[in-house]
């Protein structure tokens, strides 16, 4: 592969942006608070399920004060179907209380402040920065990590190192879209168990895709 990684990444962004023009944040939200709640609930749960849960949750607890005051069991009943509901209810109450105590009930707009909130790690902080506050931030979820490795932009399993590797090659104005494009691609063509490399519009830019043999892919039942 003679093309420089940054040029390959630029072309991947360009092609996948055309291929997935609707790629955007898949958690339904109207405010930073709603996105923060959705992101906490989305741990080990699908965004689709979270989107079914949050309308009723936001009806009951539309802001940090109402969530902080809520009895734990009332939150648990509303989020029970998304798994780990006890620890998530605790995290939601703790986060709401921390917002009231330290941020006047508002969701802070820096990654450092976000990561000091209970239940908020780097992935959620970057999601908020990109999709609630309009900054450029690379969200390294399982799709992003896996596909970025396949494309050959990182060899790491560590999300922080993957983010660092990607930040060196992905154009700065595409850091937030990169995460959305990886999710869209991971769901449609570059699936975890069945990569459809021969239908993939970026195969000519992909380290794995250029090495894969069509016969192997067909024999694997992945057609
Ligand atoms: S060529 Fe295959 S491995 Fe590479 S991005 Fe496309 S589907 Fe994924």
């Amino acid at each position: 592969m003679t093309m420089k990684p940054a040029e390959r990444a630029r072309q991947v962004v360009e092609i996948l942006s055309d291929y997935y023009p609707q790629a955007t944040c898949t958690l339904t939200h109207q405010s930073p608070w709603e996105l923060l709640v959705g992101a906490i609930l989305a741990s080990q749960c699908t965004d689709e399920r979270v989107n079914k849960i949050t309308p009723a949750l936001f009806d009951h607890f539309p802001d940090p004060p109402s969530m902080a005051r809520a009895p734990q069991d009332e939150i648990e009943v509303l989020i029970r179907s998304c798994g780990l509901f006890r620890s998530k209810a605790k995290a939601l109450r703790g986060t709401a209380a921390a917002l009231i105590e330290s941020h006047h009930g508002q969701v802070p707009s820096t990654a450092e402040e976000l990561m000091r909130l209970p239940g908020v790690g780097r992935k959620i902080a970057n999601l908020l920065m990109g999709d609630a506050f309009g900054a450029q931030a690379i969200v390294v979820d399982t799709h992003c990590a896996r596909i970025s490795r396949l494309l050959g932009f990182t060899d790491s399993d560590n999300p922080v190192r993957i983010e660092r590797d990607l930040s060196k090659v992905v154009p700065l104005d595409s850091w937030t879209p990169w995460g959305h494009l990886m999710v869209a691609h991971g769901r449609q063509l570059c699936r975890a168990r069945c990569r459809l490399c021969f239908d993939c519009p970026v195969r000519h830019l992909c380290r794995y895709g250029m090495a894969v043999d069509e016969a192997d892919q067909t024999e694997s039942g992945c057609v």
Side-chain angles (χ1 to χ4, degrees):
M1 221 185 293
T2 53
M3 194 185 297
K4 287 189 174 164
E7 176 55 20
R8 276 199 306 122
R10 190 195 66 74
Q11 291 192 25
V12 168
V13 169
E14 190 177 302
I15 293 168
L16 292 185
S17 297
D18 283 344
Y19 200 82
Y20 303 111
Q22 308 300 331
T24 187
C25 179
T26 48
L27 287 169
T28 306
H29 64 281
Q30 305 295 329
S31 66
W33 164 245
E34 291 191 1
L35 183 56
L36 177 56
V37 170
I40 290 171
L41 293 176
S43 170
Q44 297 184 46
C45 179
T46 65
D47 291 357
E48 193 179 8
R49 180 164 292 281
V50 170
N51 289 338
K52 287 183 181 158
I53 290 169
T54 46
L57 186 66
F58 296 145
D59 278 350
H60 283 76
F61 312 117
D63 48 32
S66 55
M67 183 73 83
R69 282 195 305 269
Q72 170 104 2
D73 57 350
E74 281 187 25
I75 303 173
E76 289 180 3
V77 167
L78 289 165
I79 67 171
R80 182 174 286 267
S81 65
C82 80
L84 304 174
F85 62 93
R86 290 203 174 89
S87 60
K88 289 178 184 176
K90 195 172 168 192
L92 289 176
R93 289 181 79 229
T95 298
L99 291 178
I100 293 164
E101 191 177 313
S102 305
H103 301 284
H104 310 290
Q106 302 295 310
V107 178
S109 59
T110 70
E112 292 72 25
E113 291 171 306
L114 285 164
M115 283 191 286
R116 283 200 286 271
L117 297 171
V120 177
R122 191 170 188 86
K123 185 171 82 171
I124 293 180
N126 281 0
L127 180 75
L128 266 287
M129 291 308 297
D131 288 314
F133 297 117
Q136 289 296 334
I138 300 172
V139 174
V140 180
D141 71 347
T142 54
H143 291 297
C144 177
R146 181 174 54 79
I147 300 173
S148 298
R149 275 195 300 272
L150 290 165
L151 285 163
F153 294 128
T154 183
D155 289 311
S156 179
D157 292 323
N158 179 307
V160 175
R161 291 182 64 183
I162 294 170
E163 183 184 336
R164 188 193 62 197
D165 290 343
L166 289 172
S167 70
K168 292 177 185 164
V169 295
V170 176
L172 176 54
D173 63 359
S174 301
W175 285 9
T176 299
W178 184 267
H180 300 323
L181 292 171
M182 294 298 104
V183 171
H185 200 40
R187 288 178 178 170
Q188 189 157 323
L189 290 179
C190 194
R191 303 176 206 151
R193 290 168 191 235
C194 179
R195 292 179 282 275
L196 300 173
C197 297
F198 290 86
D199 294 329
C200 178
V202 294
R203 188 167 82 88
H204 63 294
L205 301 167
C206 174
R207 179 172 64 180
Y208 177 90
M210 285 192 290
V212 74
D213 185 283
E214 189 164 12
D216 289 346
Q217 194 172 34
T218 306
E219 280 170 21
S220 73
C222 189
V223 291

